[in-house]
PDB file of all heavy atoms in Angstrom:
ATOM      1  N   ASN A  87      26.454   2.792 104.423  1.00 94.00           N
ATOM      2  CA  ASN A  87      25.217   2.921 103.638  1.00 94.00           C
ATOM      3  C   ASN A  87      25.495   3.058 102.140  1.00 94.00           C
ATOM      4  O   ASN A  87      24.670   2.669 101.317  1.00 94.00           O
ATOM      5  CB  ASN A  87      24.333   4.049 104.154  1.00 94.00           C
ATOM      6  CG  ASN A  87      25.016   5.393 104.125  1.00 94.00           C
ATOM      7  OD1 ASN A  87      26.233   5.496 104.024  1.00 94.00           O
ATOM      8  ND2 ASN A  87      24.226   6.434 104.214  1.00 94.00           N
ATOM      9  N   GLN A  90      26.190  -0.540 100.967  1.00 97.00           N
ATOM     10  CA  GLN A  90      24.959  -1.313 101.106  1.00 97.00           C
ATOM     11  C   GLN A  90      24.009  -1.003  99.954  1.00 97.00           C
ATOM     12  O   GLN A  90      23.444  -1.894  99.336  1.00 97.00           O
ATOM     13  CB  GLN A  90      24.285  -1.026 102.442  1.00 97.00           C
ATOM     14  CG  GLN A  90      23.045  -1.853 102.673  1.00 97.00           C
ATOM     15  CD  GLN A  90      22.383  -1.549 103.992  1.00 97.00           C
ATOM     16  OE1 GLN A  90      22.561  -0.466 104.558  1.00 97.00           O
ATOM     17  NE2 GLN A  90      21.614  -2.479 104.498  1.00 97.00           N
ATOM     18  N   SER A  91      23.854   0.266  99.645  1.00 97.00           N
ATOM     19  CA  SER A  91      22.989   0.664  98.538  1.00 97.00           C
ATOM     20  C   SER A  91      23.539   0.170  97.193  1.00 97.00           C
ATOM     21  O   SER A  91      22.789  -0.319  96.348  1.00 97.00           O
ATOM     22  CB  SER A  91      22.833   2.178  98.537  1.00 97.00           C
ATOM     23  OG  SER A  91      21.867   2.581  97.622  1.00 97.00           O
ATOM     24  N   ALA A  92      24.838   0.267  97.010  1.00 97.00           N
ATOM     25  CA  ALA A  92      25.456  -0.161  95.750  1.00 97.00           C
ATOM     26  C   ALA A  92      25.401  -1.671  95.561  1.00 97.00           C
ATOM     27  O   ALA A  92      25.389  -2.158  94.428  1.00 97.00           O
ATOM     28  CB  ALA A  92      26.906   0.320  95.688  1.00 97.00           C
ATOM     29  N   TYR A  94      23.003  -3.541  95.838  1.00 98.00           N
ATOM     30  CA  TYR A  94      21.729  -3.928  95.211  1.00 98.00           C
ATOM     31  C   TYR A  94      21.704  -3.674  93.701  1.00 98.00           C
ATOM     32  O   TYR A  94      20.782  -4.129  93.021  1.00 98.00           O
ATOM     33  CB  TYR A  94      20.562  -3.186  95.867  1.00 98.00           C
ATOM     34  CG  TYR A  94      20.315  -3.597  97.293  1.00 98.00           C
ATOM     35  CD1 TYR A  94      20.462  -2.694  98.331  1.00 98.00           C
ATOM     36  CD2 TYR A  94      19.934  -4.897  97.605  1.00 98.00           C
ATOM     37  CE1 TYR A  94      20.237  -3.063  99.642  1.00 98.00           C
ATOM     38  CE2 TYR A  94      19.701  -5.278  98.914  1.00 98.00           C
ATOM     39  CZ  TYR A  94      19.859  -4.363  99.918  1.00 98.00           C
ATOM     40  OH  TYR A  94      19.642  -4.734 101.216  1.00 98.00           O
ATOM     41  N   LEU A  98      19.089  -5.170  90.561  1.00 98.00           N
ATOM     42  CA  LEU A  98      18.199  -4.414  89.691  1.00 98.00           C
ATOM     43  C   LEU A  98      18.334  -4.880  88.245  1.00 98.00           C
ATOM     44  O   LEU A  98      17.337  -5.071  87.545  1.00 98.00           O
ATOM     45  CB  LEU A  98      18.494  -2.912  89.798  1.00 98.00           C
ATOM     46  CG  LEU A  98      18.219  -2.253  91.132  1.00 98.00           C
ATOM     47  CD1 LEU A  98      18.675  -0.802  91.110  1.00 98.00           C
ATOM     48  CD2 LEU A  98      16.750  -2.343  91.484  1.00 98.00           C
ATOM     49  N   TYR A 117      11.766  -6.310  91.809  1.00 98.00           N
ATOM     50  CA  TYR A 117      12.561  -5.136  91.440  1.00 98.00           C
ATOM     51  C   TYR A 117      12.167  -3.939  92.310  1.00 98.00           C
ATOM     52  O   TYR A 117      13.013  -3.214  92.818  1.00 98.00           O
ATOM     53  CB  TYR A 117      12.360  -4.856  89.943  1.00 98.00           C
ATOM     54  CG  TYR A 117      12.821  -3.510  89.488  1.00 98.00           C
ATOM     55  CD1 TYR A 117      14.144  -3.296  89.124  1.00 98.00           C
ATOM     56  CD2 TYR A 117      11.939  -2.439  89.404  1.00 98.00           C
ATOM     57  CE1 TYR A 117      14.575  -2.054  88.701  1.00 98.00           C
ATOM     58  CE2 TYR A 117      12.361  -1.205  88.980  1.00 98.00           C
ATOM     59  CZ  TYR A 117      13.678  -1.012  88.629  1.00 98.00           C
ATOM     60  OH  TYR A 117      14.104   0.218  88.220  1.00 98.00           O
ATOM     61  N   SER A 118      10.851  -3.737  92.504  1.00 97.00           N
ATOM     62  CA  SER A 118      10.357  -2.645  93.351  1.00 97.00           C
ATOM     63  C   SER A 118      10.864  -2.792  94.781  1.00 97.00           C
ATOM     64  O   SER A 118      11.212  -1.801  95.427  1.00 97.00           O
ATOM     65  CB  SER A 118       8.826  -2.633  93.366  1.00 97.00           C
ATOM     66  OG  SER A 118       8.317  -2.399  92.090  1.00 97.00           O
ATOM     67  N   LEU A 119      10.908  -4.018  95.275  1.00 98.00           N
ATOM     68  CA  LEU A 119      11.409  -4.249  96.631  1.00 98.00           C
ATOM     69  C   LEU A 119      12.897  -3.913  96.747  1.00 98.00           C
ATOM     70  O   LEU A 119      13.350  -3.410  97.786  1.00 98.00           O
ATOM     71  CB  LEU A 119      11.150  -5.699  97.050  1.00 98.00           C
ATOM     72  CG  LEU A 119       9.682  -6.101  97.207  1.00 98.00           C
ATOM     73  CD1 LEU A 119       9.565  -7.578  97.542  1.00 98.00           C
ATOM     74  CD2 LEU A 119       8.991  -5.249  98.256  1.00 98.00           C
ATOM     75  N   ILE A 120      13.654  -4.170  95.680  1.00 98.00           N
ATOM     76  CA  ILE A 120      15.083  -3.825  95.703  1.00 98.00           C
ATOM     77  C   ILE A 120      15.261  -2.307  95.680  1.00 98.00           C
ATOM     78  O   ILE A 120      16.113  -1.767  96.392  1.00 98.00           O
ATOM     79  CB  ILE A 120      15.837  -4.510  94.540  1.00 98.00           C
ATOM     80  CG1 ILE A 120      15.780  -6.028  94.681  1.00 98.00           C
ATOM     81  CG2 ILE A 120      17.269  -4.021  94.448  1.00 98.00           C
ATOM     82  CD1 ILE A 120      16.482  -6.579  95.900  1.00 98.00           C
ATOM     83  N   ILE A 121      14.442  -1.606  94.891  1.00 97.00           N
ATOM     84  CA  ILE A 121      14.471  -0.135  94.905  1.00 97.00           C
ATOM     85  C   ILE A 121      14.184   0.361  96.323  1.00 97.00           C
ATOM     86  O   ILE A 121      14.864   1.249  96.838  1.00 97.00           O
ATOM     87  CB  ILE A 121      13.440   0.458  93.914  1.00 97.00           C
ATOM     88  CG1 ILE A 121      13.812   0.158  92.487  1.00 97.00           C
ATOM     89  CG2 ILE A 121      13.266   1.962  94.130  1.00 97.00           C
ATOM     90  CD1 ILE A 121      14.953   0.958  91.953  1.00 97.00           C
ATOM     91  N   GLN A 122      13.182  -0.233  96.940  1.00 97.00           N
ATOM     92  CA  GLN A 122      12.834   0.135  98.307  1.00 97.00           C
ATOM     93  C   GLN A 122      14.032  -0.076  99.238  1.00 97.00           C
ATOM     94  O   GLN A 122      14.351   0.805 100.044  1.00 97.00           O
ATOM     95  CB  GLN A 122      11.646  -0.697  98.782  1.00 97.00           C
ATOM     96  CG  GLN A 122      11.304  -0.481 100.235  1.00 97.00           C
ATOM     97  CD  GLN A 122      10.427  -1.580 100.795  1.00 97.00           C
ATOM     98  OE1 GLN A 122      10.476  -2.717 100.358  1.00 97.00           O
ATOM     99  NE2 GLN A 122       9.632  -1.221 101.782  1.00 97.00           N
ATOM    100  N   GLN A 123      14.701  -1.197  99.121  1.00 97.00           N
ATOM    101  CA  GLN A 123      15.841  -1.478  99.989  1.00 97.00           C
ATOM    102  C   GLN A 123      16.995  -0.508  99.723  1.00 97.00           C
ATOM    103  O   GLN A 123      17.690  -0.107 100.651  1.00 97.00           O
ATOM    104  CB  GLN A 123      16.304  -2.925  99.820  1.00 97.00           C
ATOM    105  CG  GLN A 123      15.332  -3.939 100.379  1.00 97.00           C
ATOM    106  CD  GLN A 123      15.037  -3.677 101.849  1.00 97.00           C
ATOM    107  OE1 GLN A 123      15.941  -3.582 102.670  1.00 97.00           O
ATOM    108  NE2 GLN A 123      13.768  -3.538 102.177  1.00 97.00           N
ATOM    109  N   GLN A 124      17.190  -0.163  98.459  1.00 97.00           N
ATOM    110  CA  GLN A 124      18.220   0.834  98.151  1.00 97.00           C
ATOM    111  C   GLN A 124      17.896   2.162  98.833  1.00 97.00           C
ATOM    112  O   GLN A 124      18.785   2.803  99.385  1.00 97.00           O
ATOM    113  CB  GLN A 124      18.335   1.053  96.640  1.00 97.00           C
ATOM    114  CG  GLN A 124      19.409   0.256  95.987  1.00 97.00           C
ATOM    115  CD  GLN A 124      19.744   0.803  94.606  1.00 97.00           C
ATOM    116  OE1 GLN A 124      18.879   1.290  93.883  1.00 97.00           O
ATOM    117  NE2 GLN A 124      20.998   0.690  94.245  1.00 97.00           N
ATOM    118  N   LEU A 125      16.654   2.571  98.778  1.00 96.00           N
ATOM    119  CA  LEU A 125      16.254   3.821  99.423  1.00 96.00           C
ATOM    120  C   LEU A 125      16.363   3.719 100.938  1.00 96.00           C
ATOM    121  O   LEU A 125      16.768   4.671 101.603  1.00 96.00           O
ATOM    122  CB  LEU A 125      14.837   4.206  98.998  1.00 96.00           C
ATOM    123  CG  LEU A 125      14.717   4.712  97.561  1.00 96.00           C
ATOM    124  CD1 LEU A 125      13.283   4.665  97.084  1.00 96.00           C
ATOM    125  CD2 LEU A 125      15.275   6.119  97.457  1.00 96.00           C
ATOM    126  N   PHE A 126      16.018   2.560 101.498  1.00 95.00           N
ATOM    127  CA  PHE A 126      16.155   2.363 102.940  1.00 95.00           C
ATOM    128  C   PHE A 126      17.617   2.402 103.373  1.00 95.00           C
ATOM    129  O   PHE A 126      17.918   2.764 104.506  1.00 95.00           O
ATOM    130  CB  PHE A 126      15.534   1.036 103.374  1.00 95.00           C
ATOM    131  CG  PHE A 126      14.036   1.055 103.504  1.00 95.00           C
ATOM    132  CD1 PHE A 126      13.344  -0.130 103.620  1.00 95.00           C
ATOM    133  CD2 PHE A 126      13.324   2.243 103.521  1.00 95.00           C
ATOM    134  CE1 PHE A 126      11.957  -0.139 103.750  1.00 95.00           C
ATOM    135  CE2 PHE A 126      11.942   2.246 103.642  1.00 95.00           C
ATOM    136  CZ  PHE A 126      11.266   1.048 103.758  1.00 95.00           C
ATOM    137  N   ALA A 127      18.525   2.023 102.489  1.00 94.00           N
ATOM    138  CA  ALA A 127      19.952   2.056 102.832  1.00 94.00           C
ATOM    139  C   ALA A 127      20.414   3.487 103.067  1.00 94.00           C
ATOM    140  O   ALA A 127      21.384   3.719 103.785  1.00 94.00           O
ATOM    141  CB  ALA A 127      20.785   1.405 101.736  1.00 94.00           C
ATOM    142  N   GLY A 128      19.743   4.456 102.463  1.00 87.00           N
ATOM    143  CA  GLY A 128      19.987   5.849 102.802  1.00 87.00           C
ATOM    144  C   GLY A 128      21.034   6.570 101.984  1.00 87.00           C
ATOM    145  O   GLY A 128      21.545   7.589 102.427  1.00 87.00           O
ATOM    146  N   PHE A 129      21.343   6.082 100.805  1.00 92.00           N
ATOM    147  CA  PHE A 129      22.309   6.797  99.967  1.00 92.00           C
ATOM    148  C   PHE A 129      21.645   7.069  98.620  1.00 92.00           C
ATOM    149  O   PHE A 129      21.751   6.288  97.679  1.00 92.00           O
ATOM    150  CB  PHE A 129      23.592   5.981  99.801  1.00 92.00           C
ATOM    151  CG  PHE A 129      24.797   6.839  99.572  1.00 92.00           C
ATOM    152  CD1 PHE A 129      25.539   7.298 100.641  1.00 92.00           C
ATOM    153  CD2 PHE A 129      25.168   7.229  98.300  1.00 92.00           C
ATOM    154  CE1 PHE A 129      26.643   8.109 100.453  1.00 92.00           C
ATOM    155  CE2 PHE A 129      26.258   8.039  98.086  1.00 92.00           C
ATOM    156  CZ  PHE A 129      27.004   8.484  99.169  1.00 92.00           C
ATOM    157  N   GLN A 130      20.960   8.198  98.535  1.00 91.00           N
ATOM    158  CA  GLN A 130      20.115   8.508  97.384  1.00 91.00           C
ATOM    159  C   GLN A 130      20.901   8.672  96.088  1.00 91.00           C
ATOM    160  O   GLN A 130      20.358   8.410  95.013  1.00 91.00           O
ATOM    161  CB  GLN A 130      19.282   9.763  97.648  1.00 91.00           C
ATOM    162  CG  GLN A 130      18.186   9.584  98.658  1.00 91.00           C
ATOM    163  CD  GLN A 130      18.677   9.621 100.090  1.00 91.00           C
ATOM    164  OE1 GLN A 130      19.797  10.038 100.367  1.00 91.00           O
ATOM    165  NE2 GLN A 130      17.849   9.183 101.010  1.00 91.00           N
ATOM    166  N   GLN A 131      22.165   9.087  96.164  1.00 93.00           N
ATOM    167  CA  GLN A 131      22.947   9.253  94.943  1.00 93.00           C
ATOM    168  C   GLN A 131      23.117   7.910  94.225  1.00 93.00           C
ATOM    169  O   GLN A 131      23.056   7.851  93.003  1.00 93.00           O
ATOM    170  CB  GLN A 131      24.326   9.857  95.250  1.00 93.00           C
ATOM    171  CG  GLN A 131      24.267  11.274  95.726  1.00 93.00           C
ATOM    172  CD  GLN A 131      24.183  11.384  97.248  1.00 93.00           C
ATOM    173  OE1 GLN A 131      23.673  10.509  97.927  1.00 93.00           O
ATOM    174  NE2 GLN A 131      24.677  12.472  97.772  1.00 93.00           N
ATOM    175  N   VAL A 132      23.331   6.845  94.988  1.00 96.00           N
ATOM    176  CA  VAL A 132      23.479   5.513  94.382  1.00 96.00           C
ATOM    177  C   VAL A 132      22.157   5.085  93.749  1.00 96.00           C
ATOM    178  O   VAL A 132      22.148   4.479  92.672  1.00 96.00           O
ATOM    179  CB  VAL A 132      23.976   4.482  95.413  1.00 96.00           C
ATOM    180  CG1 VAL A 132      23.931   3.074  94.848  1.00 96.00           C
ATOM    181  CG2 VAL A 132      25.380   4.831  95.863  1.00 96.00           C
ATOM    182  N   VAL A 133      21.050   5.408  94.387  1.00 96.00           N
ATOM    183  CA  VAL A 133      19.741   5.083  93.810  1.00 96.00           C
ATOM    184  C   VAL A 133      19.573   5.808  92.477  1.00 96.00           C
ATOM    185  O   VAL A 133      19.160   5.207  91.479  1.00 96.00           O
ATOM    186  CB  VAL A 133      18.594   5.449  94.776  1.00 96.00           C
ATOM    187  CG1 VAL A 133      17.241   5.174  94.136  1.00 96.00           C
ATOM    188  CG2 VAL A 133      18.730   4.703  96.079  1.00 96.00           C
ATOM    189  N   LEU A 134      19.921   7.081  92.441  1.00 95.00           N
ATOM    190  CA  LEU A 134      19.811   7.856  91.204  1.00 95.00           C
ATOM    191  C   LEU A 134      20.696   7.269  90.111  1.00 95.00           C
ATOM    192  O   LEU A 134      20.236   7.054  88.976  1.00 95.00           O
ATOM    193  CB  LEU A 134      20.176   9.317  91.456  1.00 95.00           C
ATOM    194  CG  LEU A 134      20.193  10.217  90.220  1.00 95.00           C
ATOM    195  CD1 LEU A 134      18.796  10.346  89.640  1.00 95.00           C
ATOM    196  CD2 LEU A 134      20.767  11.573  90.558  1.00 95.00           C
ATOM    197  N   SER A 136      21.869   4.233  89.898  1.00 97.00           N
ATOM    198  CA  SER A 136      21.329   2.914  89.543  1.00 97.00           C
ATOM    199  C   SER A 136      20.149   3.046  88.593  1.00 97.00           C
ATOM    200  O   SER A 136      20.057   2.324  87.597  1.00 97.00           O
ATOM    201  CB  SER A 136      20.886   2.163  90.797  1.00 97.00           C
ATOM    202  OG  SER A 136      21.948   1.946  91.669  1.00 97.00           O
ATOM    203  N   LEU A 137      19.250   3.966  88.913  1.00 96.00           N
ATOM    204  CA  LEU A 137      18.059   4.125  88.070  1.00 96.00           C
ATOM    205  C   LEU A 137      18.406   4.673  86.691  1.00 96.00           C
ATOM    206  O   LEU A 137      17.766   4.302  85.705  1.00 96.00           O
ATOM    207  CB  LEU A 137      17.034   5.014  88.767  1.00 96.00           C
ATOM    208  CG  LEU A 137      16.348   4.375  89.972  1.00 96.00           C
ATOM    209  CD1 LEU A 137      15.389   5.356  90.615  1.00 96.00           C
ATOM    210  CD2 LEU A 137      15.636   3.096  89.577  1.00 96.00           C
ATOM    211  N   THR A 159       8.991   1.005  89.197  1.00 96.00           N
ATOM    212  CA  THR A 159       9.981   1.867  89.852  1.00 96.00           C
ATOM    213  C   THR A 159       9.254   2.819  90.798  1.00 96.00           C
ATOM    214  O   THR A 159       9.681   3.024  91.942  1.00 96.00           O
ATOM    215  CB  THR A 159      10.791   2.652  88.803  1.00 96.00           C
ATOM    216  OG1 THR A 159      11.482   1.727  87.960  1.00 96.00           O
ATOM    217  CG2 THR A 159      11.789   3.584  89.462  1.00 96.00           C
ATOM    218  N   LEU A 160       8.152   3.366  90.346  1.00 97.00           N
ATOM    219  CA  LEU A 160       7.333   4.233  91.188  1.00 97.00           C
ATOM    220  C   LEU A 160       6.823   3.467  92.412  1.00 97.00           C
ATOM    221  O   LEU A 160       6.815   4.006  93.521  1.00 97.00           O
ATOM    222  CB  LEU A 160       6.164   4.805  90.387  1.00 97.00           C
ATOM    223  CG  LEU A 160       5.225   5.742  91.128  1.00 97.00           C
ATOM    224  CD1 LEU A 160       5.971   6.989  91.595  1.00 97.00           C
ATOM    225  CD2 LEU A 160       4.059   6.125  90.236  1.00 97.00           C
ATOM    226  N   LEU A 161       6.441   2.206  92.219  1.00 97.00           N
ATOM    227  CA  LEU A 161       6.004   1.377  93.343  1.00 97.00           C
ATOM    228  C   LEU A 161       7.117   1.245  94.383  1.00 97.00           C
ATOM    229  O   LEU A 161       6.862   1.311  95.590  1.00 97.00           O
ATOM    230  CB  LEU A 161       5.561  -0.009  92.866  1.00 97.00           C
ATOM    231  CG  LEU A 161       5.171  -0.992  93.965  1.00 97.00           C
ATOM    232  CD1 LEU A 161       3.974  -0.486  94.762  1.00 97.00           C
ATOM    233  CD2 LEU A 161       4.885  -2.371  93.368  1.00 97.00           C
ATOM    234  N   GLY A 162       8.357   1.081  93.929  1.00 96.00           N
ATOM    235  CA  GLY A 162       9.485   1.017  94.856  1.00 96.00           C
ATOM    236  C   GLY A 162       9.600   2.279  95.685  1.00 96.00           C
ATOM    237  O   GLY A 162       9.854   2.232  96.889  1.00 96.00           O
ATOM    238  N   PHE A 163       9.389   3.433  95.053  1.00 96.00           N
ATOM    239  CA  PHE A 163       9.435   4.702  95.781  1.00 96.00           C
ATOM    240  C   PHE A 163       8.261   4.818  96.749  1.00 96.00           C
ATOM    241  O   PHE A 163       8.410   5.330  97.860  1.00 96.00           O
ATOM    242  CB  PHE A 163       9.444   5.883  94.810  1.00 96.00           C
ATOM    243  CG  PHE A 163      10.809   6.203  94.286  1.00 96.00           C
ATOM    244  CD1 PHE A 163      11.316   5.538  93.182  1.00 96.00           C
ATOM    245  CD2 PHE A 163      11.593   7.164  94.903  1.00 96.00           C
ATOM    246  CE1 PHE A 163      12.581   5.819  92.700  1.00 96.00           C
ATOM    247  CE2 PHE A 163      12.864   7.458  94.432  1.00 96.00           C
ATOM    248  CZ  PHE A 163      13.357   6.781  93.320  1.00 96.00           C
ATOM    249  N   ILE A 164       7.100   4.344  96.340  1.00 97.00           N
ATOM    250  CA  ILE A 164       5.929   4.386  97.230  1.00 97.00           C
ATOM    251  C   ILE A 164       6.169   3.505  98.455  1.00 97.00           C
ATOM    252  O   ILE A 164       5.858   3.890  99.582  1.00 97.00           O
ATOM    253  CB  ILE A 164       4.653   3.967  96.467  1.00 97.00           C
ATOM    254  CG1 ILE A 164       4.282   5.058  95.458  1.00 97.00           C
ATOM    255  CG2 ILE A 164       3.500   3.697  97.425  1.00 97.00           C
ATOM    256  CD1 ILE A 164       3.209   4.657  94.473  1.00 97.00           C
ATOM    257  N   LEU A 165       6.749   2.336  98.237  1.00 97.00           N
ATOM    258  CA  LEU A 165       7.042   1.441  99.356  1.00 97.00           C
ATOM    259  C   LEU A 165       8.060   2.051 100.317  1.00 97.00           C
ATOM    260  O   LEU A 165       8.062   1.741 101.508  1.00 97.00           O
ATOM    261  CB  LEU A 165       7.552   0.091  98.838  1.00 97.00           C
ATOM    262  CG  LEU A 165       6.548  -0.778  98.084  1.00 97.00           C
ATOM    263  CD1 LEU A 165       7.230  -1.977  97.466  1.00 97.00           C
ATOM    264  CD2 LEU A 165       5.433  -1.227  99.026  1.00 97.00           C
ATOM    265  N   ALA A 166       8.920   2.910  99.814  1.00 96.00           N
ATOM    266  CA  ALA A 166       9.957   3.544 100.648  1.00 96.00           C
ATOM    267  C   ALA A 166       9.540   4.918 101.153  1.00 96.00           C
ATOM    268  O   ALA A 166      10.367   5.646 101.703  1.00 96.00           O
ATOM    269  CB  ALA A 166      11.253   3.640  99.856  1.00 96.00           C
ATOM    270  N   LEU A 167       8.277   5.295 101.004  1.00 96.00           N
ATOM    271  CA  LEU A 167       7.834   6.627 101.428  1.00 96.00           C
ATOM    272  C   LEU A 167       8.147   6.966 102.887  1.00 96.00           C
ATOM    273  O   LEU A 167       8.510   8.115 103.167  1.00 96.00           O
ATOM    274  CB  LEU A 167       6.342   6.810 101.158  1.00 96.00           C
ATOM    275  CG  LEU A 167       6.002   7.359  99.780  1.00 96.00           C
ATOM    276  CD1 LEU A 167       4.504   7.449  99.578  1.00 96.00           C
ATOM    277  CD2 LEU A 167       6.658   8.704  99.529  1.00 96.00           C
ATOM    278  N   PRO A 168       8.032   6.027 103.826  1.00 94.00           N
ATOM    279  CA  PRO A 168       8.407   6.405 105.198  1.00 94.00           C
ATOM    280  C   PRO A 168       9.856   6.901 105.296  1.00 94.00           C
ATOM    281  O   PRO A 168      10.119   7.912 105.951  1.00 94.00           O
ATOM    282  CB  PRO A 168       8.217   5.106 105.993  1.00 94.00           C
ATOM    283  CG  PRO A 168       7.223   4.331 105.206  1.00 94.00           C
ATOM    284  CD  PRO A 168       7.478   4.683 103.774  1.00 94.00           C
ATOM    285  N   GLN A 169      10.767   6.233 104.616  1.00 91.00           N
ATOM    286  CA  GLN A 169      12.172   6.662 104.623  1.00 91.00           C
ATOM    287  C   GLN A 169      12.342   7.977 103.871  1.00 91.00           C
ATOM    288  O   GLN A 169      13.055   8.864 104.323  1.00 91.00           O
ATOM    289  CB  GLN A 169      13.059   5.592 103.988  1.00 91.00           C
ATOM    290  CG  GLN A 169      14.512   5.990 103.855  1.00 91.00           C
ATOM    291  CD  GLN A 169      15.210   6.097 105.194  1.00 91.00           C
ATOM    292  OE1 GLN A 169      14.948   5.310 106.081  1.00 91.00           O
ATOM    293  NE2 GLN A 169      16.090   7.060 105.336  1.00 91.00           N
ATOM    294  N   ILE A 170      11.688   8.113 102.735  1.00 93.00           N
ATOM    295  CA  ILE A 170      11.804   9.341 101.939  1.00 93.00           C
ATOM    296  C   ILE A 170      11.274  10.531 102.736  1.00 93.00           C
ATOM    297  O   ILE A 170      11.893  11.601 102.769  1.00 93.00           O
ATOM    298  CB  ILE A 170      11.058   9.189 100.594  1.00 93.00           C
ATOM    299  CG1 ILE A 170      11.760   8.139  99.730  1.00 93.00           C
ATOM    300  CG2 ILE A 170      10.967  10.519  99.873  1.00 93.00           C
ATOM    301  CD1 ILE A 170      10.968   7.714  98.512  1.00 93.00           C
ATOM    302  N   TYR A 171      10.141  10.350 103.410  1.00 94.00           N
ATOM    303  CA  TYR A 171       9.554  11.436 104.197  1.00 94.00           C
ATOM    304  C   TYR A 171      10.471  11.856 105.340  1.00 94.00           C
ATOM    305  O   TYR A 171      10.700  13.048 105.569  1.00 94.00           O
ATOM    306  CB  TYR A 171       8.178  11.026 104.734  1.00 94.00           C
ATOM    307  CG  TYR A 171       7.568  12.045 105.637  1.00 94.00           C
ATOM    308  CD1 TYR A 171       7.104  13.259 105.122  1.00 94.00           C
ATOM    309  CD2 TYR A 171       7.474  11.831 107.006  1.00 94.00           C
ATOM    310  CE1 TYR A 171       6.555  14.216 105.953  1.00 94.00           C
ATOM    311  CE2 TYR A 171       6.928  12.788 107.847  1.00 94.00           C
ATOM    312  CZ  TYR A 171       6.463  13.975 107.312  1.00 94.00           C
ATOM    313  OH  TYR A 171       5.931  14.928 108.139  1.00 94.00           O
ATOM    314  N   THR A 173      13.711  11.413 105.560  1.00 86.00           N
ATOM    315  CA  THR A 173      14.902  12.040 104.999  1.00 86.00           C
ATOM    316  C   THR A 173      14.597  13.480 104.606  1.00 86.00           C
ATOM    317  O   THR A 173      15.397  14.383 104.851  1.00 86.00           O
ATOM    318  CB  THR A 173      15.408  11.239 103.783  1.00 86.00           C
ATOM    319  OG1 THR A 173      15.685   9.902 104.188  1.00 86.00           O
ATOM    320  CG2 THR A 173      16.663  11.860 103.193  1.00 86.00           C
TER     321      THR A 173
END
Side-chain angles (χ1 to χ4, degrees):
N87 59 343
Q90 183 181 23
S91 189
Y94 293 117
L98 295 175
Y117 165 86
S118 298
L119 294 177
I120 297 296
I121 293 286
Q122 174 197 29
Q123 290 304 306
Q124 264 197 325
L125 287 163
F126 281 167
F129 208 90
Q130 289 79 14
Q131 292 92 332
V132 172
V133 177
L134 176 65
S136 299
L137 289 178
T159 299
L160 181 63
L161 176 62
F163 277 85
I164 290 169
L165 292 172
L167 271 178
Q169 176 69 37
I170 293 169
Y171 175 71
T173 302

